[in-house]
Amino acid sequence: MKIHLSSVFVDDQDKALRFYTDVLGFVKKTEVPLGEDRWLTVVSPEDPDGTELLLEPDGHPAVKPYKEALVKDGIPAASFAVDDVQAEFSRLRGLGVHFTQEPLEMGPVTTAVLDDTCGNLIQIAHSK
């Protein structure tokens, strides 16, 4: 068994697609119209057949309070592996990305947390 799909709830699919592709560097994998919304996924360009991230609309009444509580408590909605947290932090900050946690070493793991502009905190992490 392996993870095929995971999702983040976003407040605007178009804005999310721009951020996750143009800024974070993912590529669009699937886009299927579903009424007002879309089944919209992105993948890592390094693993185009790997785990997909669904940019899921946050229209369900339970989602917004859930997202707000996570952000208020500083809890990331997802974690993405990077080769070098400091380098990725510098690259993203240069693109104007807001970080709520700068790179922090915790034993063999280094993390940083960013705001995805769509209502979520996202962690980037590297293990030594």
Side-chain angles (χ1 to χ4, degrees):
M1 188 178 305
K2 65 181 182 176
I3 298 170
H4 167 70
L5 177 79
S6 187
S7 63
V8 291
F9 292 107
V10 298
D11 57 15
D12 180 313
Q13 285 186 304
D14 291 323
K15 180 172 67 169
L17 182 61
R18 283 190 303 274
F19 183 82
Y20 281 80
T21 57
D22 296 346
V23 177
L24 296 185
F26 292 105
V27 294
K28 182 170 63 171
K29 172 85 176 195
T30 307
E31 182 172 7
V32 177
L34 298 170
E36 293 180 19
D37 298 314
R38 297 167 283 172
W39 181 265
L40 182 60
T41 67
V42 295
V43 294
S44 168
E46 298 168 15
D47 191 10
D49 295 320
T51 304
E52 296 178 49
L53 181 68
L54 175 63
L55 304 176
E56 188 161 358
D58 67 0
H60 188 281
V63 173
K64 288 186 185 191
Y66 167 75
K67 285 174 52 178
E68 288 170 1
L70 290 179
V71 170
K72 180 181 175 192
D73 290 342
I75 300 171
S79 181
F80 303 144
V82 297
D83 291 332
D84 182 334
V85 169
Q86 186 62 51
E88 196 64 14
F89 170 80
S90 296
R91 180 186 80 81
L92 293 172
R93 183 166 259 178
L95 293 173
V97 173
H98 170 71
F99 280 80
T100 61
Q101 177 202 304
E102 295 194 6
L104 178 64
E105 287 189 37
M106 298 175 285
V109 177
T110 302
T111 65
V113 179
L114 61 95
D115 179 338
D116 78 348
T117 74
C118 302
N120 302 292
L121 298 179
I122 301 295
Q123 177 177 269
I124 57 173
H126 170 77
S127 296
K128 293 179 184 176

